[in-house]
Amino acid sequence: MRILIKNGRIIDPANQLDKIGDICIADGRIVSILKGGDDFTAEEVIVADGKIVCPGLVDLSARLREPGQEFKATIASESMAAVSSGITSICCPPDTQPAIDTAAVAELIQQRAEATSKLRIFPLGALTHGLKGEHLAEMHALKRAGCVGVSNACMDIANTDVLRHAMEYAHSCDLTVHIQAEDHFLSRNGVAHEGVISTRLGLPPIPETAETIAVARALLLVEQIGGRTHFCRVSSARSIALISDAKKAGLPVTADVGICHLHLTDMDVDGYNTNCHLRPPLRDQRDREALCQGILSGSIDAICSDHQPHDEDAKASPFSETEAGASTIELLLPLTLDLVSKKKLSLTEALSSLTNKPAAILGIDAGTLSPGRAADIVIIDMEKHFSVDQSCLISAGKNTPFNGWELNGVVTNVFFSGQAVYQNND
Amino acid sequence: MTSNNIQLDNNGRLKHFLTTEGLNKNLLLNILDHAESFAGVGDRAVKKVPLLRGKTIVNLFFEPSTRTRTTFELAAKRLSADVLNINIAQSATSKGESLQDTLRTLEAMHCDMFVVRHGSSGAAHFMAKHVSPRIRIINAGDGNHAHPTQAMLDMFTIRHHKKDFSRLKVAIVGDIMHSRVARSEIHALTTLGVNEVRVIAPLTLLPARVETLGVHVFHELEAGLEDVDVVIMLRLQRERMRSALLPSEQEYFHNYGLTEKRLQVAKDDAIVMHPGPINRGVEIDTHVADGERSVILQQVSHGIAVRMAVMAMSMGSLVDKQEEKT
């Protein structure tokens, strides 16, 4: 299939490109960018006047619930939701059931993704066996099976000696360690940021130090070991300061933030809004501002959906008895573009944190538009508005905190390896 | 705030009673005024008024309770309602039924009001949000969040002794962190316009940013009790010692236990309150608990009148006392 995308505003942050021009695609790969469109014989021509053309998005963390929790969502259902938001590469954490601690599970997930032919899934392998924080997982085998990093997901490794050895072993496997920093002794049974709101609502609190102490512990180990380490879902201003200092000192660390934490604060939990029950918890206004600043300053490298689709029952209980997480995958792009409209990020910065930067963290060949690469491309109409309607979400999880929000930026076309996998001409 | 509007109907009258937060001063005074008119009912030969005749009230207790459940039951019976006690601590949810399913099942029995106690903060809000519109919810304690009828019976007791709220200094002593009573009292006291609310506790028993609730924080008992008109002691649970919040009961009593000697720095006519059940020798000395300043037993009997008032008001069976005056 030979496709010509004509006259779009091509933004490719990896190559510092922001120009109007054409993209030619043949045999699933990009043939040329900007020029060459006039001499290209295409079977399909897409006129992208006034639209943005950018690389397919890379989501650093989305739970697809398969295997193990297919009653919440499946790889098939969530792939549909992901491509509607322009996502063509997804990294999934290892806390499936069973956990991704064997090659078989890692392979199963990639095969299911292949069967959808809509996007690629890059699994993270378990750092410890069964995510129990006791014994090392077979990281070499996981790497051979396609895992692009290792992580203990939301499970803390309480024993620092185990964490140290796990980080050392991952380093010798040349695998990035993804750490969601949380000291489980400090967070205990907490469900909300320790502050004004948790005090008023009487909700079990999670102090900021549950995160910062875990970040500091990991950073000291990185200093000693030297392996690539990525901090997932950073939520507090203090954590960003710690990571920023580590970066300045030359440590091989990166960090991401979940999209909800850039828009919401613990105030949104008021009224016991269970769709705002997240982990890490939504923190205060000052933290949210610091997270946005962190992207600008480069302390935070990427924005991810942290997609966690749930069945209705998971959220239909008193707040502290509900499961944490929000369904966000199909709003990742419009919510990030919203930060551009609010002048918190430039368009290039926003797209970079969704494309080349997360791709670099995963070490995968995606997130840019260079000739010769797989043609994963998104076309976005920035003029179109829509209002979020919970019941109309494509994802099997309807648990969005953004119901009723007015957003702009609608994906009109998505190509995955040169194949049209999504089209919206309404 | 949306979290509180749920308590009122379209005319601003009490519909569900979930928390003292966000209700205006008039409404709180209204509850106290109605309670005043019910206070005599218990002394009459026939201890009943027919306000809720034909109505069914369900006491839905997911946590064990004797005192609160009994006074709610008595209050309902004195209003001539039929009462059903359901103790879910040993019932449906332990068989895996969700709160929502329990709610649906009870709705199908055509009850009019649920009095709910639950271990999770926000449980009463959850029920009010999900219940069919003709049913009323009264919060009898949810997690660490609120226990509004307890707070109002304490307000009733305070007004009974002190008349005017505006000049009072009130100290709440003990485990504020885990106390739904303290939170509801703080909101009620600040709304009713008392001069000063103090909380007295070690840092381990204070929730983060507690001062944002409008209280002054003291870590030392004597300093905090100086010149106060009302002392509210909170019950100390034994778990607090196990979870490394306190070293021992002895040490707690030594520093925060209320004794006659410590009470000397308070105003001469200061009253001592406690939501019960009391731990003698842990948070309060026996001589104080049984002493002349103690109004602990009055609190219990006021509890019935206040609960009658709240139930009757939320069922729409009473005219607005404050409106009558204006």
Side-chain angles (χ1 to χ4, degrees):
Chain A
M1 186 82 171
R2 295 167 67 84
I3 302 165
L4 171 64
I5 300 169
K6 238 186 131 38
N7 216 25
R9 178 180 168 191
I10 303 171
I11 302 183
D12 181 21
N15 294 313
Q16 287 159 352
L17 178 72
D18 183 355
K19 272 192 183 138
I20 291 170
D22 306 336
I23 296 183
C24 306
I25 303 166
D27 303 323
R29 302 205 161 259
I30 295 172
V31 177
S32 67
I33 292 185
L34 289 178
K35 295 193 175 93
D38 297 338
D39 311 323
F40 186 77
T41 46
E43 293 157 74
E44 191 182 349
V45 178
I46 290 156
V47 182
D49 282 336
K51 292 180 185 167
I52 289 168
V53 181
C54 72
L57 311 186
V58 180
D59 189 354
L60 267 184
S61 182
R63 277 158 178 97
L64 309 171
R65 303 301 190 196
E66 199 176 342
Q69 291 188 299
E70 289 84 354
F71 62 96
K72 287 189 188 290
T74 61
I75 288 171
S77 71
E78 300 319 282
S79 300
M80 301 263 285
V83 291
S84 78
S85 179
I87 296 164
T88 51
S89 304
I90 292 178
C91 175
C92 76
D95 54 353
T96 47
Q97 296 171 2
I100 309 178
D101 60 358
T102 58
V105 180
E107 282 159 5
L108 170 95
I109 290 169
Q110 291 168 92
Q111 281 160 14
R112 294 271 160 91
E114 240 167 72
T116 70
S117 329
K118 284 187 165 54
L119 44 70
R120 268 176 231 98
I121 297 181
F122 299 92
L124 293 180
L127 192 56
T128 61
H129 187 70
L131 304 176
K132 292 200 177 93
E134 292 162 359
H135 307 290
L136 303 190
E138 293 177 345
M139 297 183 214
H140 272 297
L142 290 167
K143 188 180 179 185
R144 281 198 302 276
C147 291
V148 293
V150 280
S151 170
N152 225 50
C154 295
M155 310 294 284
D156 184 27
I157 297 178
N159 183 333
T160 310
D161 190 45
V162 173
L163 178 62
R164 174 199 165 169
H165 291 134
M167 288 170 75
E168 284 175 339
Y169 194 78
H171 185 32
S172 46
C173 297
D174 194 26
L175 281 165
T176 306
V177 179
H178 293 236
I179 292 179
Q180 182 156 346
E182 184 181 305
D183 181 317
H184 281 218
F185 291 111
L186 284 167
S187 59
R188 290 211 302 162
N189 54 353
V191 295
H193 171 58
E194 182 175 271
V196 179
I197 295 292
S198 67
T199 289
R200 252 187 56 216
L201 298 184
L203 290 173
I206 301 176
E208 182 194 52
T209 46
E211 180 171 293
T212 50
I213 285 175
V215 167
R217 175 178 78 149
L219 282 173
L220 291 168
L221 288 171
V222 177
E223 200 172 52
Q224 181 188 335
I225 298 161
R228 283 192 315 275
T229 304
H230 176 69
F231 289 93
C232 318
R233 310 326 84 75
V234 174
S235 72
S236 82
R238 268 303 282 145
S239 301
I240 297 166
L242 290 167
I243 291 165
S244 174
D245 287 349
K247 283 187 167 188
K248 279 180 203 144
L251 296 188
V253 295
T254 49
D256 76 64
V257 58
I259 187 66
C260 292
H261 287 76
L262 295 173
H263 285 282
L264 308 171
T265 65
D266 60 346
M267 294 292 285
D268 293 287
V269 169
D270 203 0
Y272 297 104
N273 182 356
T274 57
N275 282 332
C276 291
H277 177 192
L278 306 180
R279 195 91 175 212
L282 291 167
R283 300 202 184 267
D284 65 24
Q285 180 70 21
R286 196 182 49 97
D287 292 309
R288 185 181 67 175
E289 291 306 317
L291 291 169
C292 286
Q293 277 298 318
I295 297 169
L296 280 175
S297 70
S299 309
I300 294 178
D301 301 86
I303 302 173
C304 71
S305 73
D306 193 22
H307 179 58
Q308 299 183 39
H310 280 297
D311 54 311
E312 214 177 305
D313 288 348
K315 292 287 187 184
S317 284
F319 194 91
S320 53
E321 294 171 21
T322 56
E323 293 178 53
S327 175
T328 45
I329 204 160
E330 61 203 273
L331 298 179
L332 174 61
L333 177 64
L335 285 170
T336 305
L337 293 174
D338 192 54
L339 297 170
V340 178
S341 343
K342 287 175 180 158
K343 309 238 181 291
K344 290 187 176 168
L345 295 178
S346 75
L347 185 56
T348 313
E349 282 161 342
L351 290 176
S352 180
S353 64
L354 295 175
T355 56
N356 61 312
K357 284 184 172 175
I361 290 165
L362 299 175
I364 60 172
D365 186 11
T368 173
L369 293 175
S370 315
R373 285 180 184 252
D376 297 350
I377 298 172
V378 186
I379 305 179
I380 307 160
D381 187 342
M382 290 291 279
E383 305 301 314
K384 272 193 186 162
H385 307 271
F386 69 104
S387 94
V388 180
D389 180 350
Q390 199 162 21
S391 59
C392 294
L393 291 182
I394 298 168
S395 165
K398 311 299 178 196
N399 49 305
T400 174
F402 302 102
N403 194 33
W405 280 44
E406 299 286 333
L407 297 172
N408 56 342
V410 168
V411 171
T412 58
N413 301 77
V414 181
F415 296 92
F416 169 62
S417 286
Q419 302 294 313
V421 290
Y422 179 79
Q423 205 165 351
N424 175 8
N425 294 325
D426 296 344
Chain B
M1 261 174 277
T2 49
S3 58
N4 303 316
N5 283 345
I6 192 173
Q7 301 195 86
L8 305 175
D9 68 12
N10 292 337
N11 300 317
R13 291 214 175 85
L14 193 67
K15 184 177 174 196
H16 306 294
F17 194 39
L18 311 176
T19 163
T20 51
E21 189 189 356
L23 297 179
N24 65 35
K25 187 176 176 181
N26 266 351
L27 205 145
L28 296 188
L29 288 174
N30 227 323
I31 294 173
L32 298 182
D33 291 346
H34 282 304
E36 204 84 60
S37 62
F38 287 127
V41 174
D43 301 328
R44 299 205 300 239
V46 177
K47 297 185 172 56
K48 281 200 178 189
V49 289
L51 283 169
L52 298 187
R53 181 178 291 158
K55 303 287 184 190
T56 308
I57 295 175
V58 182
N59 276 330
L60 199 53
F61 277 61
F62 293 84
E63 269 185 354
S65 149
T66 315
R67 164 181 321 236
T68 305
R69 210 215 63 221
T70 324
T71 49
F72 264 112
E73 186 175 348
L74 265 178
K77 285 182 170 161
R78 287 190 182 163
L79 291 166
S80 309
D82 296 315
V83 184
L84 191 63
N85 287 313
I86 301 183
N87 207 339
I88 306 230
Q90 315 115 11
S91 176
T93 44
S94 51
K95 294 175 196 150
E97 188 177 73
S98 78
L99 182 54
Q100 209 163 12
D101 286 332
T102 308
L103 205 56
R104 294 276 163 274
T105 309
L106 292 167
E107 265 177 11
M109 298 178 193
H110 301 288
C111 303
D112 301 284
M113 175 182 280
F114 296 145
V115 175
V116 190
R117 168 166 291 188
H118 197 285
S120 291
S121 300
H125 274 84
F126 175 81
M127 295 187 78
K129 255 188 245 174
H130 290 89
V131 82
S132 77
R134 58 182 177 82
I135 296 177
R136 300 290 181 261
I137 304 288
I138 307 280
N139 186 4
D142 64 324
N144 295 338
H145 172 236
H147 193 351
T149 58
Q150 175 70 43
M152 289 316 291
L153 73 88
D154 292 341
M155 297 309 113
F156 188 87
T157 309
I158 292 171
R159 190 169 80 163
H160 183 79
H161 288 273
K162 303 290 172 192
K163 312 299 178 231
D164 181 16
F165 283 103
S166 68
R167 274 183 292 190
L168 299 182
K169 289 182 182 166
V170 181
I172 306 175
V173 187
D175 188 0
I176 312 287
M177 168 100 85
H178 301 92
S179 177
R180 50 195 172 210
V181 175
R183 284 177 176 77
S184 285
E185 280 168 342
I186 290 167
H187 291 307
L189 287 165
T190 52
T191 304
L192 290 168
V194 297
N195 182 315
E196 186 184 354
V197 185
R198 301 174 179 176
V199 294
I200 310 173
L203 267 177
T204 49
L205 298 182
L206 288 170
R209 312 285 306 276
V210 65
E211 71 285 354
T212 58
L213 300 178
V215 298
H216 289 132
V217 179
F218 292 80
H219 301 308
E220 209 192 315
L221 187 59
E222 275 89 347
L225 289 183
E226 196 174 339
D227 215 24
V228 299
D229 303 274
V230 179
V231 186
I232 301 174
M233 302 302 295
L234 298 173
R235 177 179 166 80
L236 187 78
Q237 309 269 358
R238 291 226 156 72
E239 290 105 88
R240 309 303 168 228
M241 263 58 78
R242 285 198 291 272
S243 51
L245 292 173
L246 291 173
S248 68
E249 288 180 1
Q250 291 76 9
E251 172 142 327
Y252 184 77
F253 183 69
H254 187 77
N255 290 287
Y256 294 98
L258 189 65
T259 58
E260 290 288 358
K261 184 164 172 286
R262 289 224 167 94
L263 202 48
Q264 280 169 12
V265 295
K267 288 236 176 80
D268 289 339
D269 61 348
I271 54 170
V272 175
M273 301 169 65
H274 192 301
I278 58 178
N279 289 318
R280 290 166 190 266
V282 179
E283 68 261 0
I284 189 165
D285 184 66
T286 286
H287 293 107
V288 180
D290 302 333
E292 57 180 10
R293 302 200 202 187
S294 165
V295 296
I296 297 171
L297 289 177
Q298 285 175 32
Q299 287 175 268
V300 180
S301 57
H302 292 158
I304 299 166
V306 166
R307 284 167 181 138
M308 285 172 79
V310 169
M311 286 174 162
M313 284 170 75
S314 83
M315 293 296 286
S317 313
L318 289 172
V319 264
D320 202 321
K321 289 231 166 186
Q322 295 293 316
E323 267 178 25
E324 265 179 359
K325 283 178 188 169
T326 52

